[in-house]
Amino acid sequence: MIEELAERLDGAQLNAEDTPSLADTHEIDIDQAYEIQQAVVDRRLARERR
């Protein structure tokens, strides 16, 4: 779930698209929210290294 949500958010940023709040569609706690945030950051950093 973490990676799928990170992909959704990252894709929305890359394509300059709005995305509904994750809290509207998923039950996530604060720890999961931080994991998703870190996964998005990791994806961005990986792209910069290419």
Side-chain angles (χ1 to χ4, degrees):
M1 175 181 77
I2 300 297
E3 284 302 318
E4 292 85 11
L5 294 175
E7 182 177 354
R8 176 176 143 187
L9 292 175
D10 190 41
Q13 182 186 24
L14 282 172
N15 298 310
E17 299 171 341
D18 287 336
T19 186
S21 171
L22 298 181
D24 290 345
T25 56
H26 296 80
E27 287 191 32
I28 56 174
D29 62 28
I30 191 72
D31 291 329
Q32 290 169 317
Y34 279 117
E35 286 180 57
I36 295 165
Q37 180 182 35
Q38 187 60 55
V40 171
V41 169
D42 291 345
R43 286 170 168 272
R44 292 178 192 156
L45 291 174
R47 265 197 307 279
E48 289 179 12
R49 289 187 205 122
R50 292 184 203 163

